Amino acid sequence: MTSEKTLFSKIIDREIPSTIVYEDEKCIVINDINPKARVHLLVIPKKPIATLFELTPEDKDVMGHMMLLLPQLAQAQNLEGFKTQINTGEAGGQEVFHIHIHLLGN
Ligand code: AMP
C-alpha cells in the first residue's frame, strides 16, 4: 500500500524548505508562505491527521499540547492578542489535508 506524504510531512522531514519557528517531538511551527497578518504561523502535529473529522481520543494529548503552545508562541512574537483558525474539510476552506492551527496577529 502506498500513501502519499502530505505537504506538511514533507516539510517536517526537511524534503521541502520552510521557516521553522519551533519544533518538538509532537509538533512543528512554521511561517505561513502566504501570510494574512504580520505574524502568521501554522502549528502542525507531526502525526499526519487529515482533518478534525479524523481525530480520535488518542489525539487528545497532541491537540492539547498544541493549544498550550499557542499563547507561548504569541508571546514570543510580542503579540498582545491573536486569532486562531482551523479550516476543516473542503467545504471549510481547507487546502492542506494535514491538521494545522493558524495563529494570526498584528
Ligand atoms: P488551509 O487552507 O487551512 O489548509 O491552509 C493551508 C495554508 O498553508 C495556507 O495558508 C497556505 O498559505 C499555507 N502553505 C501552503 N504551502 C506552504 C508552504 N510550502 N510553506 C508554508 N505554508 C504553506
Side-chain angles (χ1 to χ4, degrees), residues 7-60:
L7 170 69
F8 292 153
S9 289
K10 289 178 185 167
I11 287 175
I12 290 162
D13 293 342
R14 306 318 198 251
E15 291 167 14
I16 291 178
S18 77
T19 308
I20 297 169
V21 172
Y22 172 89
E23 182 172 20
D24 63 27
E25 74 285 1
K26 293 189 173 75
C27 69
I28 194 166
V29 181
I30 63 172
N31 280 324
D32 196 293
I33 205 168
N34 182 20
K36 302 286 194 301
R38 184 177 67 78
V39 176
H40 187 169
L41 305 179
L42 301 174
V43 184
I44 308 164
K46 289 194 170 172
K47 180 179 174 185
I49 307 159
T51 84
L52 288 183
F53 287 122
E54 277 75 35
L55 281 178
T56 68
E58 74 174 25
D59 301 320
K60 276 182 190 172

Side-chain angles (χ1 to χ4, degrees), residues 94-106:
Q94 188 173 357
E95 290 173 2
V96 179
F97 285 79
H98 182 150
I99 284 180
H100 48 284
I101 305 172
H102 295 258
L103 185 166
L104 300 126
N106 288 299

